[in-house]
Amino acid sequence: MKKLLLAGVTIAMMATPALAQTYKFAVVPKAMNNPFFDVARDGCLKRAKELGNVECIYKGPIEHEPATQAQIIQDFITQKVDGLAISVADVASMTKSIEAATAAGIPVITFDADAPGSKRIAYIGTNNKDFGLALGKQLLQLRPEGGKYAMVSGGPGAKNLAERVDGVREALKGSKWVEVQGSPTFCNDDSALAVQQMTDLRTATPDLAAIVPVGGWPMFAPEGFKAFVNKNKKEIDSGKLTLVVADTLKMQLELLRDGYSNALTGQRPFEMGEKSMDTLLAIKKGQKVPEVIYTGLDLVTKDNVAKLLK
């Protein structure tokens, strides 16, 4: 009888499937006070829940602080997470952090902002040169007669933003648009500072004909942005000042709908979060993944903004 019982236990154990391993993947944004990354976080959490055996851990600096981002990544290395997805705030410091993670056996991918010279396995996000080209082409289409323009950027060490700036300049090369001295300004992902820099640019160049923020920062402070537009409403309504802004978060689409900007060029951060989970899981399963995964762009004006808000 005892042998029969043991045999039954053995059969039951063999029949019970092994529990699937749960992977802990950390998503590290440039700054947690930037609502752009909230959307990437939501995509990450949704996809992790769908996969079932993946946990999305979202943590980054509160503000744009490359040194703090590096420390957070070191903490994740110490915790031995199963994978890292990083939006690179500063290429030089993150290259070292990625090397440390790789040496510890932790696969690293980048999203939104890349460090192509590092040991990261893949990049997921926007083709940032094309992003800048799209912003510049939108301005050319709206104001082919040209004038003086300025750009607002985020962190000076972010490669993705530098590529956008280059793209805007390339799109406007040979046109009647002239970039003013002091452009781009760098707000370090600080929304209030971005709005202030727009005001400063207008003060320094009263006949400034266009401002092109290569990220959505000023619109992420909607009340401040609306105050800026209202102060310059006469020039904007008459076509003397044009605002072409990056990103298409809901608050930005609403501002465009209500007449607070002329055009938006949007990324797809939700998809970045989803694909980060898929890619890290594939790597852990030993599958080969593409080195670059582009998530596309959305061009928005008053003509199609209602469709995107549905």
Side-chain angles (χ1 to χ4, degrees), residues 4-286:
L4 287 172
L5 286 171
L6 288 172
V9 170
T10 302
I11 291 169
M13 290 176 66
M14 292 174 63
T16 303
L19 293 174
Q21 180 179 352
T22 298
Y23 297 102
K24 294 185 176 182
F25 296 145
V27 174
V28 185
K30 292 180 187 177
M32 293 180 71
N33 66 352
N34 184 335
F36 175 89
F37 293 111
D38 291 347
V39 182
R41 173 203 63 201
D42 293 346
C44 163
L45 291 171
K46 175 180 176 288
R47 190 64 182 132
K49 185 177 181 180
E50 291 170 347
L51 292 168
N53 63 333
V54 168
E55 179 184 352
C56 170
I57 305 168
Y58 177 80
K59 184 179 180 181
I62 300 300
E63 299 179 347
H64 185 281
E65 296 175 341
T68 303
Q69 187 181 47
Q71 182 56 58
I72 288 169
I73 291 168
Q74 183 55 54
D75 292 343
F76 279 132
I77 294 171
T78 302
Q79 294 167 28
K80 298 181 179 179
V81 295
D82 296 298
L84 283 161
I86 304 168
S87 177
V88 176
D90 181 85
V91 173
S93 64
M94 279 303 100
T95 296
K96 295 177 183 177
S97 295
I98 292 169
E99 184 174 353
T102 303
I106 300 172
V108 180
I109 63 173
T110 55
F111 76 99
D112 171 61
D114 195 15
S118 69
K119 293 186 177 181
R120 62 97 170 111
I121 297 170
Y123 162 71
I124 298 168
T126 306
N127 181 321
N128 285 288
K129 185 66 174 292
D130 286 351
F131 193 4
L133 285 167
L135 286 165
K137 288 176 181 176
Q138 280 184 307
L139 178 57
L140 266 177
Q141 187 173 3
L142 290 165
R143 295 282 300 277
E145 70 274 17
K148 298 176 183 177
Y149 80 96
M151 288 181 277
V152 177
S153 188
K159 181 176 173 58
N160 66 325
L161 301 180
E163 289 175 346
R164 294 178 201 176
V165 167
D166 288 344
V168 172
R169 287 170 175 163
E170 185 173 320
L172 298 177
K173 187 177 180 180
S175 73
K176 295 180 180 179
W177 283 101
V178 178
E179 186 176 3
V180 301
Q181 188 173 359
S183 170
T185 60
F186 296 101
C187 70
N188 287 315
D189 288 18
D190 184 322
S191 298
L193 179 58
V195 174
Q196 182 59 52
Q197 289 177 343
M198 291 177 68
T199 300
D200 294 343
L201 287 166
R202 281 283 291 165
T203 301
T205 309
D207 59 343
L208 190 67
I211 302 177
V212 183
V214 298
W217 313 288
M219 296 180 94
F220 297 161
E223 294 309 313
F225 185 78
K226 286 194 284 187
F228 170 84
V229 172
N230 288 333
K231 185 178 179 180
N232 296 278
K233 191 165 179 56
K234 183 178 178 181
E235 290 81 1
I236 292 171
D237 288 347
S238 65
K240 292 182 179 179
L241 176 62
T242 301
L243 303 177
V244 177
V245 188
D247 296 327
T248 49
L249 272 61
K250 184 181 178 183
M251 69 179 75
Q252 295 179 269
L253 294 171
E254 291 171 345
L255 286 167
L256 173 58
R257 176 198 63 195
D258 296 340
Y260 286 96
S261 70
N262 300 99
L264 301 172
T265 299
Q267 305 176 82
R268 297 171 184 170
F270 192 88
E271 190 176 339
M272 294 180 199
E274 289 182 308
K275 289 187 179 296
S276 291
M277 295 298 96
D278 289 335
T279 303
L280 284 170
L281 182 58
I283 292 169
K284 293 301 290 186
K285 289 181 175 180

